[in-house]
């Protein structure tokens, strides 16, 4: 199947933080792939800005190397790389000083969409918005893209929203959560709302519970100092897992547009019950055979920051009351794996002798690795000798279904950056949504900070702390394997 590519309007995209890790690993490789896909208009330009000294040629060489490092070899084409590099300009600019702003202002073309990607540390988001205004670089068609983390609690998110609102209309602000750009996550919406099969079953009458897992096999690596101030709750749960949860639990929007989808997601967050003390487990990985514990890697030997969190979330609304959502995320676990598993109820009565093997169906939406959708079914074991039952998967791996090239699915950032240029906010978070998520998470964080409780220890390469098994065990359920 050949992907359809609709070219976007002419644009000037300014990446502030153009020398940083995200720009190098994700943003610029994604833009290169969009050039290859024929989606970028011929005149579209990318202006990278940061404080480092780079000549135009040095910056192009720097990005040529980044493409070498972060674009798969079969997607690298010398001629296309040079075409891409021709669109690049570097400006030395200080987000908090005076250097570079005049040059930036002069470099923007009238008539093109102007988008500013804030790919800098979060302390610079507000100053950048204010500088853009002060230097009169923006107009009513300007868009800004704000990276995560959007605040570290409700108060800081509100204060950042307030600064942005003084400078821009809400429809100019694109708060990015790259999970929403993942093909499978969008497929979750297609699966639910473009098929009549599942929606009648998508409620507490038929669904026993839902498990959402985002598991990483790596530790904090070089991000230890940053991560230690954040932890799994702020770094993953409040944003990525919460977004997956909202898309799974929300009502069908009346239309597929930004306002309707975001209204429905907000209603989900607002229907969340407060978390009870026994419905949450915090963990921290202990030393592996090399002596690399979380505390060593974070550079804080007394750290009580969690590298793992699991919780049971309940929704008080008609659709979901009585069906818990178990969410977990952590570092240095058994495998790198992200999935949403919808566990259906067992059949109410078995007519088969083999009934102890009768299991509820599980619909799994796999985000990584091997993006795809799987439905486990119980069938008759083939062959004579009675009616023995067995479980088999109905598997739709995107790689198999859509052909080899399609399996090389666009990175989330490709889709999201093109949506920014189109002005489509459906896959971005609205200000009130982010605040509602913090309003739910804040009391949980405050309660454990007040208690001074230490996180439970777990072995690197395990499924997380033993206490997390109990979280489901006491409800007569068990976590799915992290495979
Ligand atoms: P990074 O590697 O530290 O890069 C920061 C960038 O900001 C550099 O280009 C730096 O360049 C520039 N910068 C710093 N101070 C500046 C100033 N005063 N004026 C202008 N530019 C300035 O950080 P990153 O990993 O790319 O992350 C960028 C943002 O994306 C952060 O908010 C992060 O939380 C978020 N994010 C990153 C990732 C990731 O995978 N890296 C993933 C999700 C979200 P100079 O030093 O040359 O000025």
């Amino acid at each position: 199947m050949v992907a359809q590519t609709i070219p976007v309007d002419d644009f000037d995209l300014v990446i502030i933080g153009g020398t940083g890790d995200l720009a190098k690993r994700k943003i610029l490789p994604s833009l290169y792939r969009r050039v290859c896909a024929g989606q970028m208009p011929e005149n579209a330009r990318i202006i990278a800005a940061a404080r480092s000294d780079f000549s135009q040629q040095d910056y192009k060489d720097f990005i040529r190397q980044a493409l070498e490092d972060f674009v798969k070899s079969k997607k690298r084409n010398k001629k296309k790389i040079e075409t891409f590099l021709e669109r690049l300009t570097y400006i030395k600019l200080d987000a908090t000083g005076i250097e570079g702003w005049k040059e930036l202002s002069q470099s923007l073309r009238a008539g093109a969409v102007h988008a500013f990607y804030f790919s800098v540390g979060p302390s610079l988001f507000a100053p950048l918005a204010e500088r853009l205004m002060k230097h009169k670089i923006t107009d009513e068609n300007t868009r800004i893209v704000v990276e995560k983390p959007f605040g570290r609690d409700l108060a800081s998110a509100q204060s950042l929203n307030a600064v942005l609102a003084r400078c821009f209309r809400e429809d100019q602000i694109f708060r990015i959560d790259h999970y929403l750009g993942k093909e499978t996550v969008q497929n979750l919406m297609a699966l639910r709302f473009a098929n009549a099969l599942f929606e009648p079953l998508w409620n507490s009458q038929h669904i026993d519970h839902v498990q959402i897992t985002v598991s990483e096999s790596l530790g904090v690596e070089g991000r230890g100092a940053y991560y230690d101030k954040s932890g799994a709750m702020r770094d993953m749960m409040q944003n990525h897992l919460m977004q997956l949860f909202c898309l799974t639990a929300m009502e069908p929007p009346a239309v597929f547009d930004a306002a309707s989808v975001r209204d429905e997601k907000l209603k989900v967050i607002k229907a969340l019950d407060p978390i009870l003390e026994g419905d949450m487990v915090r963990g921290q990985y202990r030393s592996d055979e090399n002596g690399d514990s979380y505390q060593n890697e974070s550079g804080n030997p007394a750290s009580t920051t969690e590298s793992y969190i699991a919780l049971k979330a309940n929704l008080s609304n008609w659709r979901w009351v009585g069906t818990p959502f178990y969410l977990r995320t952590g570092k240095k676990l058994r495998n790198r794996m992200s999935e949403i598993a919808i566990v259906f109820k067992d059949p109410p009565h078995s007519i088969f002798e083999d009934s102890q093997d009768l299991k509820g169906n599980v619909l799994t939406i796999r985000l990584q690795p091997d993006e795809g959708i799987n439905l486990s079914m119980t069938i008759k074991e083939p062959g004579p000798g009675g009616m023995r039952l067995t479980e088999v998967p109905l598997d739709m791996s995107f790689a198999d279904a859509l052909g080899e090239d399609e399996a090389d699915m666009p990175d989330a950032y490709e889709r999201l950056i093109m949506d920014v240029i189109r002005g489509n906010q459906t896959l971005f978070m609205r200000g009130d949504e982010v605040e509602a998520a913090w309003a739910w998470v804040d009391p949980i964080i405050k309660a454990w900070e007040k208690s001074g409780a230490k996180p439970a220890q777990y072995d690197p390469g395990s499924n997380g702390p033993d206490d997390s098994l109990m979280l489901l065990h006491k409800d007569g359920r068990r976590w799915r394997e992290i495979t």
Side-chain angles (χ1 to χ4, degrees), residues 207-335:
I207 294 177
D208 179 69
H209 71 281
V210 177
Q211 296 187 20
I212 302 181
T213 302
V214 177
S215 142
E216 294 170 65
S217 53
L218 296 177
V220 288
E221 309 285 300
R223 288 176 75 225
Y226 158 79
Y227 189 91
D228 201 49
K229 294 196 196 82
S230 167
M233 187 66 150
R234 289 189 171 98
D235 192 49
M236 297 295 292
M237 187 65 79
Q238 185 273 344
N239 39 65
H240 303 318
L241 277 92
M242 191 70 106
Q243 288 298 319
L244 300 181
F245 165 63
C246 286
L247 294 177
T248 309
M250 74 183 187
E251 295 298 316
V255 284
F256 187 63
D257 67 18
S260 310
V261 170
R262 300 193 299 178
D263 283 349
E264 295 306 335
K265 286 198 289 163
L266 181 62
K267 282 185 212 162
V268 173
I269 304 175
K270 289 195 164 166
L272 272 166
D273 292 347
I275 290 282
L276 302 174
E277 205 182 313
D279 284 347
M280 189 190 60
V281 175
R282 294 171 71 228
Q284 191 186 72
Y285 56 85
R286 53 166 78 93
S287 298
D288 57 16
E289 62 278 9
N290 304 321
D292 291 333
S293 65
Y294 172 82
Q295 293 181 332
N296 283 350
E297 289 182 2
S298 67
N300 178 3
S303 174
T304 56
T305 300
E306 76 287 354
S307 57
Y308 175 97
I309 189 157
L311 52 83
K312 174 181 170 186
N314 288 303
L315 281 166
S316 280
N317 63 18
W318 275 49
R319 187 186 282 264
W320 291 117
V321 73
T323 293
F325 285 69
Y326 299 96
L327 279 60
R328 64 177 162 167
T329 180
K331 292 197 175 287
K332 268 217 178 157
L333 295 172
R334 176 159 293 156
N335 274 305

Side-chain angles (χ1 to χ4, degrees), residues 17 19-22 25 51-52 93-95 119-120 124 147-148:
T19 57
D21 179 66
L22 184 69
R25 274 192 320 111
R51 293 166 307 176
S52 300
L93 175 138
D94 186 351
S119 182
V120 290
L124 291 177
E147 257 300 334
K148 85 171 217 190

